[in-house]
Amino acid sequence: MWRSADSRVAPRFTAKAIVGRLLAQAGVTINGSRPWDIRVHDDRVYRRLLLSGSLALGESYMDGAWDCADLVELIFRLLHHRNTEGRRPWVPELNRRMAALRRAVLNLQTRARARHVVAAHYDLHPLLFEAMLGETMAYSCAYWAQATTLDEAQRDKLDLVCRKLRLKRGDRVLDLGCGFGAFARFACEHYGCSVVGVNLSAIQADYARRFCGNLPVEIYTCDYRDVDVYYRGRPFDSVVSIGMFEAVGHRNFRQYMALVHRVLKDEALWLLHTIGDEECSSDPWVTRYIFPNGELPGLDRLGRAVRGLFHVEDLHSLGGDYLQTLAAWTERFRAGWTTIQQLDRAVFTDRFYRMWTYFLACSAGSFRARNVYLWQIVMSKGCLAIGYRSVR
């Protein structure tokens, strides 16, 4: 049966019908009554989804073309079904493969490109992050083993890192990608260390200097590859990299590891805290709107990058903790939105609000579907004569 006399498309082959069948396979209904069902406001969204997949899903949500009461559950269901069935519509799959080819051929994390993510994400007004992150200003996964609040969980995470590194009074620590200074401040206040922080974002670096006050913290605004700027021939007792490695790129993994090896003392420890996946991949929507040129590392490539330089002493997977962290960030962001919007109405528009909530929901759905992971990896330079016992 045809839709109309002048139409050449059978109803079951329309974009809406095809998208509806694909969603139904994941347990999602168009204009259904369940919290994870999508409510479509603009029928043009169906063709967009068939042509551009996850990129169109995010963009059309930002445009207000559809809504969903439980975004996290929706994203989880879509990813879980895709991972279980292993099938994708052919056009979005072609786009994904082209993006993978681009990452394989090009170095998307050169010095010049590294500034793209800084301008797009990390140079946003610090008060946005204050509203979302809480008093520690830690912009990475918290540790919820004992904590009941975000601030407690972030302090426990920072303490966990310090304990894993066996920090002690007088240690000099390098913090690659120091963010707003969360780790630097904690390590100085609670473990009596001095910290050298490296950050490509001038806005974050300036905040970190103020956040750490008169503590023995030095913050350098430079690329991590400008090693001579902050190293100066004085090896560090420990090195930490928390939530920065996702911007390094697989073509630079070995260079990054060699740099850490160069600046770290013999028989010393360093810790890598990073989101990762199984493919060294990146989502097209996230790459365009949140983290330009970002690339999640895979354990296989990480293993090759450290070979001959470090011994892997401990691997701790904390992806479940990121679900609680993202839920807390989302709650704080929504509660503080009115104040955030007043900072700069040209930047913090309704479209930004939808973009940011979609970003947080996609992240949570991805962790829940085990599409991405959070790893803390402790590595040693040289042989540890006293061995290493895992810390939790």
Side-chain angles (χ1 to χ4, degrees):
M1 180 177 179
W2 300 95
R3 184 174 55 183
S4 64
D6 59 349
S7 173
R8 298 192 177 188
V9 181
R12 65 188 301 266
F13 295 118
T14 63
K16 179 178 180 179
I18 295 171
V19 170
R21 287 195 295 272
L22 292 172
L23 291 175
Q25 292 171 8
V28 178
T29 302
I30 296 172
N31 298 326
S33 59
R34 297 167 301 184
W36 59 85
D37 290 330
I38 68 169
R39 295 184 296 278
V40 174
H41 310 305
D42 185 343
D43 282 355
R44 290 174 295 181
V45 72
Y46 303 119
R47 187 170 183 275
R48 292 175 67 180
L49 291 175
L50 289 181
L51 292 176
S52 299
S54 64
L55 176 61
L57 189 67
E59 287 182 334
S60 57
Y61 182 81
M62 290 164 60
D63 295 339
W66 62 274
D67 275 299
C68 176
D70 191 343
L71 275 173
V72 175
E73 179 69 19
L74 170 66
I75 298 301
F76 163 72
R77 284 174 173 265
L78 295 177
L79 291 175
H80 180 68
H81 172 72
R82 188 196 71 185
N83 295 343
T84 302
E85 298 298 322
R87 293 181 297 180
R88 309 169 191 243
W90 73 270
V91 175
E93 174 64 9
L94 178 61
N95 294 337
R96 188 188 73 86
R97 290 180 181 271
M98 291 298 293
L101 178 62
R102 181 169 176 260
R103 291 194 303 272
V105 173
L106 301 176
N107 185 351
L108 300 180
Q109 294 81 20
T110 61
R111 287 175 180 269
R113 290 179 182 272
R115 295 188 177 276
H116 294 175
V117 68
V118 170
H121 192 87
Y122 294 109
D123 278 350
L124 289 168
H125 201 296
L127 291 182
L128 160 67
F129 296 102
E130 280 190 1
M132 188 174 81
L133 303 181
E135 65 182 33
T136 66
M137 289 300 287
Y139 193 19
S140 55
C141 179
Y143 186 51
W144 295 85
Q146 303 293 333
T148 57
T149 69
L150 176 63
D151 291 333
E152 289 176 356
Q154 288 293 11
R155 286 192 292 268
D156 286 353
K157 185 272 299 295
L158 296 170
D159 187 65
L160 180 70
V161 171
C162 292
R163 289 187 289 119
K164 285 183 175 182
L165 289 173
R166 299 173 173 172
L167 295 187
K168 60 185 183 300
R169 182 169 298 279
D171 279 354
R172 183 167 171 265
V173 184
L174 173 63
D175 185 356
L176 289 171
C178 64
F180 295 104
F183 171 80
R185 177 170 170 170
F186 188 91
C188 290
E189 288 182 337
H190 296 274
Y191 283 81
C193 300
S194 63
V195 178
V196 172
V198 177
N199 195 330
L200 193 55
S201 168
I203 291 176
Q204 279 196 342
D206 181 63
Y207 189 100
R209 293 184 188 101
R210 289 183 282 107
F211 190 63
C212 294
N214 295 321
L215 295 169
V217 175
E218 303 170 45
I219 304 293
Y220 294 90
T221 308
C222 65
D223 191 286
Y224 72 92
R225 286 163 283 211
D226 296 325
V227 60
D228 291 329
V229 172
Y230 55 87
Y231 174 46
R232 298 178 181 176
R234 296 177 57 202
F236 292 92
D237 297 291
S238 295
V239 176
V240 65
S241 176
I242 302 176
M244 176 263 192
F245 197 71
E246 299 89 339
V248 170
H250 74 272
R251 284 179 167 267
N252 306 303
F253 285 178
R254 183 67 177 184
Q255 178 187 12
Y256 191 90
M257 300 302 174
L259 183 153
V260 175
H261 187 271
R262 174 184 171 187
V263 303
L264 184 63
K265 288 182 177 179
D266 292 335
E267 298 185 24
L269 297 170
W270 82 283
L271 182 143
L272 176 64
H273 173 118
T274 183
I275 300 171
D277 67 6
E278 296 177 355
E279 301 179 0
C280 274
S281 67
S282 57
D283 178 80
W285 182 84
V286 173
T287 299
R288 177 170 295 187
Y289 291 98
I290 306 297
F291 297 115
N293 304 320
E295 184 178 341
L296 300 182
L299 284 177
D300 53 345
R301 281 190 164 137
L302 281 173
R304 290 195 293 271
V306 305
R307 189 171 298 153
L309 297 175
F310 301 107
H311 298 288
V312 175
E313 303 289 351
D314 185 55
L315 173 61
H316 187 182
S317 182
L318 297 107
D321 292 68
Y322 230 143
L323 288 172
Q324 290 177 266
T325 305
L326 288 159
W329 287 349
T330 300
E331 182 180 359
R332 292 181 61 92
F333 172 72
R334 286 176 172 165
W337 174 244
T338 302
T339 302
I340 295 168
Q341 200 170 28
Q342 293 173 357
L343 299 172
D344 188 340
R345 290 189 175 272
V347 173
F348 299 119
T349 61
D350 291 342
R351 182 176 170 85
F352 181 95
Y353 178 85
R354 293 180 70 88
M355 177 185 75
W356 207 258
T357 52
Y358 186 80
F359 154 57
L360 294 170
C362 277
S363 300
S366 295
F367 277 104
R368 187 177 165 199
R370 310 299 284 170
N371 228 51
V372 293
Y373 308 90
L374 190 285
W375 300 313
Q376 283 190 355
I377 307 173
V378 178
M379 290 172 264
S380 61
K381 178 182 176 181
C383 178
L384 293 183
I386 60 173
Y388 185 84
R389 184 178 296 278
S390 298
V391 176
R392 298 291 186 267

